[in-house]
Amino acid sequence: QEDLVRTLADEVDSLTVRLALNDNGATEEEKAHAIDVLARIKSLEIENRALIASRDSFMRENAELKRQCAKYRNQLDKLDKLVKVAA
């Protein structure tokens, strides 16, 4: 559902810009350039969303690894104490 809202919002933005381009007397070259810039912006926004998702995934994995390291450190400390007591 979030994707649908994002898609519709993008479409509204695109139509708004195209309407503005048609109303401001821009040359065909300027219009084409503006459309190219908008396409690049959309592409970068998509790439940014993918990078954010990837970053979030790595952050979750990193947090899990930190928890595991802390658990293993505690186990190692307990074993260390047992070895010292036994010695």
Side-chain angles (χ1 to χ4, degrees), residues 77-87:
D77 289 345
K78 288 178 185 178
L79 288 174
D80 221 14
K81 288 178 186 177
L82 288 174
V83 169
K84 287 180 182 178
V85 169

Side-chain angles (χ1 to χ4, degrees), residues 9-60:
D10 289 346
E11 185 66 21
V12 167
D13 289 344
S14 177
L15 292 172
T16 301
V17 169
R18 287 181 183 192
L19 182 61
L21 286 173
N22 287 333
D23 287 344
N24 74 358
T27 66
E28 290 303 315
E29 183 178 322
E30 291 169 335
K31 290 177 185 179
H33 179 70
I35 290 170
D36 289 343
V37 169
L38 289 174
R40 180 71 176 137
I41 289 170
K42 294 297 179 194
S43 173
L44 290 171
E45 287 173 343
I46 291 167
E47 183 179 352
N48 188 42
R49 286 192 292 267
L51 289 171
I52 288 170
S54 179
R55 179 210 58 197
D56 291 348
S57 174
F58 284 121
M59 289 177 73
R60 283 189 298 275

